[in-house]
Amino acid sequence: MERVLNISFNSLMQRLACHIVQAVTVATAGRLVSRLSRISLLLSLLIVAVNAVAEIDLIRRPEARERRTDLVYEGMVSYGNYRVFGAAENAKLYTGGVELDRELWPRVFHTRVDGVVEFLPFVLLTQPEKADIWGSPLSRRRNAVPGAGITPIGFRLLWRDGKRIMPYFEAKGSVFGFTQKALSPQATYENWSFHMTQGLQLKLRGRFDLRLGVLSDLHISNAFVVRSNPALDVMNADVGLVYHLSRPKWPFSAGR
């Protein structure tokens, strides 16, 4: 009889524990959904406010209705790497290609906001000839791995638009493909990257500007699609020649 009571008591406690776990899980999920809903609402309100500001500016300045488009012939050179989000070391990245910046909102709190896409036909990764699963060098000899890349999404913030010196900030998400596995022989041919750049855009003559990315950081990773994900963080210098496809209608003469 005592054994039966013990079994019944244990069964009751297990059911009670299951109900408590389920209740806690449901409550946690409810709080998470509530927080996500609040964040989504705040983001929606922010987007609506930004669009409203942009539309008001278009009404006040009819000449701003023409969305400006810039074509940038650019190159990037790595001059060092650090270990923060990535474990790989003694590797550098060099890229060259064309970037298209399309104006989204001309004046959002005195900032021009552009959408960015990019094609990189030239990508070169220099890495140790031999490395372990985490990208740590096992040889002093180096190997050059060619590849290509594409940036489907990105944005640029430009201040003092139309002035001689224009500070800018840019963030891009890209996909790289290499001819051999990058950073580790157990990694992947494809890698994703997140690239942030801060710099200055200098007004030249006519439709041309010079862009200098003096502070540039790039992270590449395969997002653990396989067991080996060395990842790499590099510091870079970016240089680009900007060509305005649509003639700017700024309140100054070209080349002035």
Side-chain angles (χ1 to χ4, degrees):
M1 184 67 178
E2 183 178 355
R3 183 179 179 182
V4 173
L5 289 175
N6 286 334
I7 294 175
S8 300
F9 179 76
N10 290 336
S11 177
L12 180 62
M13 292 302 295
Q14 289 177 358
R15 290 182 182 179
L16 181 60
C18 289
H19 285 303
I20 292 174
V21 170
Q22 290 177 358
V24 171
T25 303
V26 170
T28 304
R31 286 195 296 268
L32 179 61
V33 170
S34 177
R35 290 179 182 177
L36 291 177
S37 300
R38 292 176 184 175
I39 294 173
S40 301
L41 179 60
L42 290 175
L43 290 176
S44 301
L45 291 175
L46 179 61
I47 293 173
V48 170
V50 168
N51 276 294
V53 171
E55 290 298 327
I56 292 173
D57 184 68
L58 289 177
I59 293 173
R60 291 177 178 175
R61 299 189 307 130
E63 70 276 6
R65 290 184 180 277
E66 182 182 351
R67 300 298 186 186
R68 284 166 288 183
T69 304
D70 297 340
L71 198 63
V72 186
Y73 303 93
E74 61 173 355
M76 185 196 79
V77 177
S78 295
Y79 56 82
N81 75 281
Y82 52 92
R83 303 179 69 173
V84 177
F85 302 106
E89 58 182 341
N90 197 23
K92 292 181 174 62
L93 192 68
Y94 306 89
T95 67
V98 181
E99 176 183 303
L100 185 69
D101 299 338
R102 175 69 171 173
E103 183 182 75
L104 299 177
W105 300 298
R107 294 178 65 86
V108 179
F109 306 112
H110 303 286
T111 304
R112 172 179 161 185
V113 182
D114 294 348
V116 174
V117 293
E118 179 185 48
F119 174 59
L120 299 171
F122 172 76
V123 176
L124 185 67
L125 174 67
T126 62
Q127 62 182 12
E129 191 175 74
K130 295 181 180 179
D132 62 14
I133 188 173
W134 300 118
S136 299
L138 299 178
S139 170
R140 292 186 177 181
R141 302 182 64 179
R142 301 185 63 77
N143 189 20
V145 184
I150 186 171
T151 302
I153 185 170
F155 70 89
R156 182 184 70 164
L157 305 179
L158 185 67
W159 293 273
R160 305 183 76 247
D161 189 13
K163 306 297 183 181
R164 290 186 178 274
I165 300 177
M166 297 167 274
Y168 78 93
F169 172 82
E170 188 175 64
K172 299 181 287 189
S174 308
V175 181
F176 293 148
F178 298 98
T179 56
Q180 71 180 61
K181 293 182 177 180
L183 305 176
S184 170
Q186 301 180 52
T188 59
Y189 295 93
E190 301 82 16
N191 280 267
W192 290 266
S193 82
F194 182 68
H195 187 188
M196 293 190 302
T197 306
Q198 306 89 41
L200 300 173
Q201 185 166 310
L202 309 177
K203 182 64 184 172
L204 300 180
R205 286 190 168 272
R207 297 192 179 196
F208 291 95
D209 291 349
L210 178 64
R211 196 165 80 175
L212 303 175
V214 293
L215 296 174
S216 173
D217 296 280
L218 185 143
H219 172 81
I220 63 173
S221 164
N222 63 26
F224 279 105
V225 295
V226 296
R227 191 167 65 95
S228 174
N229 179 27
L232 177 68
D233 297 302
V234 286
M235 299 172 287
N236 323 283
D238 296 13
V239 178
L241 181 64
V242 182
Y243 177 74
H244 304 288
L245 293 178
S246 55
R247 183 172 293 278
K249 297 183 178 180
W250 297 318
F252 66 94
S253 59
R256 182 175 166 183

